[in-house]
Amino acid sequence: MSVKFEFEFAPNLPAPASKWNGFPKYNFIGGHNDAERLPVDALIAAATAVLKREGSSLATYGLNSGPLGYRPLREFLARKLKWHAGIVCQPDEILITSGSLQGLDLVNSLLLSPGDTVLVEQDCYSGSLSRLSRRGVKVVGIELDSGGLRLDALANALDDLKRRGVRPKYLYTIPTVQNPTGTILSEERRLELLRLTRAHAVPIFEDECYSDLIWDGRRPPALYALSGGAGVIHIGSFSKSISPALRVGYIVASWDVLSHILALKTDAGSGALEQMVLAEFCSAHFSEHVLKLNRGLRSKLETLMAALAEQFGTAAEFEDPKGGIFLWLKLPDSVDTQKLAQVALAEGLAINPGPEWSTDKDHGRSRLRLCFANPGKETIQDGVAALAQICHREFGVPTRIANIRQG
Ligand SMILES: Cc1ncc(COP(=O)(O)O)c(C=O)c1O
């Protein structure tokens, strides 16, 4: 007699994952990188050199570097964070993680309990928003403008919460090439942000995963640098500067904080080979690679903006971002981008609808995010033309496509 065996799953699980059916023809979603700019030959050379020299250390957990991650990679990061973001830290104040998503999870595990409140930018990385909602955390969105987080809105939110006796657990911010808006917060605003949050004893969780992708290379010091590390946890990643598939990110924090985070990281170390190859590659080629990558990304962004101007005319509003891989668009109020995304996907075209990237679903309703890093220029042009046709069919806008009046 056969016994029917069924698992009894734990309560409150997220919705099950759907099966992967390959990438759509026009793929404007996610944070994929530019395949043409991936430094494959230099990565092969780095892998060969580091394995010949140190391959036998793969026999140990942690590569003789301890649980924080491969030491030469942390040494590279300590140097790079100093020249790039003004952060002064020791290699032992850096923990290598499996992508910065693991960094987000670890920091959230350290700081958050159900019912807590956190402050975030109103338009915000959906991966962060979904994580907070899974933890039963209340999210207060702070408005942005073309200069990034609005400090008058932050001051109002902090005062309002104080009146209600609520102290937010942290302010989560992506100050340098914000996702999805692409803004960079000025040094002046950063200093004011630190002053305000300090006055309310609210720590900062700074996510800098796009900060290498800036067209003119100029950026203000990180909040971590400006605060001398006090009350700030900083995370970053190699996903956007080199490759998301490698899954290598990092957390920077003072040891009194990092030691608690390390105790929560129970995976016996992130993938070693990736760390070794990155350390070898980055020490020799990082800056030169990022310069080339940025030139390619800027050129794709220009293709995208020109295609939008041609296909959507004034129906698509956007600001020219200072860096990154995304364009954040506003379509006419009549467009529901969640519906647009659904219909477009059925026709092989993927976009990120605004409500998933905003704490205010009405604000996000007619907005959407396009990632321009992965598709080639022709695909960008054809994809935008296809999107304009679908949008016109479903919502009656744009009324002119490629300067031809529709319908
Ligand atoms: C703001 C932000 N933080 C973190 C991540 C996670 O990146 P990864 O885990 O690949 O480092 C992303 C990915 O898109 C992101 O946009």
Side-chain angles (χ1 to χ4, degrees):
M1 195 177 74
S2 74
V3 177
K4 191 156 178 266
F5 182 77
E6 280 187 5
F7 289 107
E8 192 184 324
F9 295 144
N12 304 322
L13 291 178
S18 25
K19 282 214 170 129
W20 190 66
N21 290 316
F23 288 126
K25 182 170 176 201
Y26 301 114
N27 189 16
F28 292 111
I29 63 169
H32 304 293
N33 218 315
D34 185 347
E36 275 172 37
R37 306 273 162 171
L38 208 98
V40 175
D41 290 337
L43 288 172
I44 294 170
T48 307
V50 75
L51 280 175
K52 277 194 178 152
R53 199 178 63 236
E54 298 173 34
S56 61
S57 68
L58 285 166
T60 61
Y61 283 97
L63 299 167
N64 299 332
S65 281
L68 288 172
Y70 184 50
R71 187 161 179 101
L73 185 60
R74 290 186 285 118
E75 284 168 351
F76 164 76
L77 278 169
R79 291 196 301 278
K80 187 236 163 191
L81 286 164
K82 172 113 191 288
W83 96 61
H84 176 70
I87 292 177
V88 178
C89 68
Q90 299 304 315
D92 284 352
E93 292 167 319
I94 301 172
L95 169 64
I96 304 295
T97 54
S98 303
S100 51
L101 281 175
Q102 189 183 33
L104 279 168
D105 287 335
L106 289 169
V107 173
N108 286 340
S109 296
L110 178 74
L111 300 176
L112 301 180
S113 308
D116 280 346
T117 298
V118 302
L119 300 167
V120 303
E121 285 141 356
Q122 177 182 284
D123 302 321
C124 180
Y125 172 45
S126 75
S128 298
L129 293 178
S130 58
R131 279 173 162 69
L132 293 168
S133 120
R134 279 268 310 133
R135 282 177 190 265
V137 167
K138 292 179 206 136
V139 167
V140 177
I142 312 292
E143 285 159 44
L144 297 143
D145 62 18
S146 55
L149 196 75
R150 270 182 43 194
L151 295 184
D152 57 333
L154 176 63
N156 287 341
L158 286 166
D159 288 342
D160 179 49
L161 289 168
K162 190 174 181 180
R163 265 195 301 278
R164 294 196 274 127
V166 178
R167 187 161 79 86
K169 278 299 187 66
Y170 60 63
L171 163 66
Y172 169 75
T173 173
I174 312 166
T176 317
V177 189
Q178 206 265 347
N179 180 3
T181 59
T183 52
I184 298 180
L185 200 71
S186 67
E187 181 164 352
E188 204 186 348
R189 283 201 197 186
R190 287 173 196 235
L191 290 168
E192 178 60 7
L193 181 153
L194 285 171
R195 193 192 66 71
L196 274 173
T197 48
R198 272 189 189 160
H200 288 80
V202 175
I204 291 165
F205 183 7
E206 175 176 48
D207 184 344
E208 280 229 332
C209 94
Y210 298 94
S211 65
D212 295 306
L213 310 182
I214 299 178
W215 314 138
D216 66 6
R218 294 214 312 268
R219 53 151 304 165
L223 291 163
Y224 191 94
L226 293 170
S227 76
V232 182
I233 297 175
H234 177 100
I235 62 171
S237 178
F238 289 95
S239 287
K240 317 299 167 177
S241 55
I242 301 187
S243 150
L246 288 177
R247 309 305 306 132
V248 181
Y250 52 89
I251 302 177
V252 185
S254 58
W255 179 246
D256 57 328
V257 175
L258 200 63
S259 53
H260 288 285
I261 296 178
L262 184 54
L264 289 165
K265 191 173 185 290
T266 52
D267 60 1
S270 296
L273 197 52
E274 296 85 328
Q275 297 184 52
M276 293 168 90
V277 174
L278 276 177
E280 195 76 12
F281 169 82
C282 289
S283 313
H285 305 297
F286 186 82
S287 303
E288 156 220 349
H289 162 69
V290 162
L291 267 179
K292 277 195 225 151
L293 175 63
N294 279 333
R295 271 201 294 274
L297 290 174
R298 174 71 207 172
S299 167
K300 283 189 173 185
L301 169 62
E302 277 167 17
T303 301
L304 174 61
M305 293 192 297
L308 284 164
E310 186 188 340
Q311 301 294 333
F312 281 82
T314 52
E317 293 169 38
F318 52 85
E319 296 202 23
D320 183 350
K322 296 198 160 65
I325 55 177
F326 305 119
L327 193 65
W328 182 236
L329 290 184
K330 166 80 176 73
L331 294 179
D333 291 343
S334 57
V335 180
D336 172 348
T337 53
Q338 242 154 355
K339 177 157 183 238
L340 179 64
Q342 237 173 31
V343 177
L345 190 59
E347 297 180 32
L349 193 156
I351 58 169
N352 286 124
E356 291 172 16
W357 299 79
S358 188
T359 57
D360 178 339
K361 304 303 165 208
D362 285 341
H363 171 82
R365 189 177 179 277
S366 55
R367 290 180 161 80
L368 68 136
R369 194 192 74 161
L370 299 176
C371 174
F372 53 82
N374 194 249
K377 288 186 181 175
E378 237 178 84
T379 309
I380 291 177
Q381 285 160 336
D382 295 349
V384 170
L387 184 64
Q389 294 293 348
I390 297 168
C391 192
H392 176 78
R393 196 182 68 219
E394 297 296 319
F395 300 102
V397 285
T399 49
R400 297 185 83 81
I401 297 180
N403 222 17
I404 297 166
R405 177 165 288 284
Q406 301 297 302

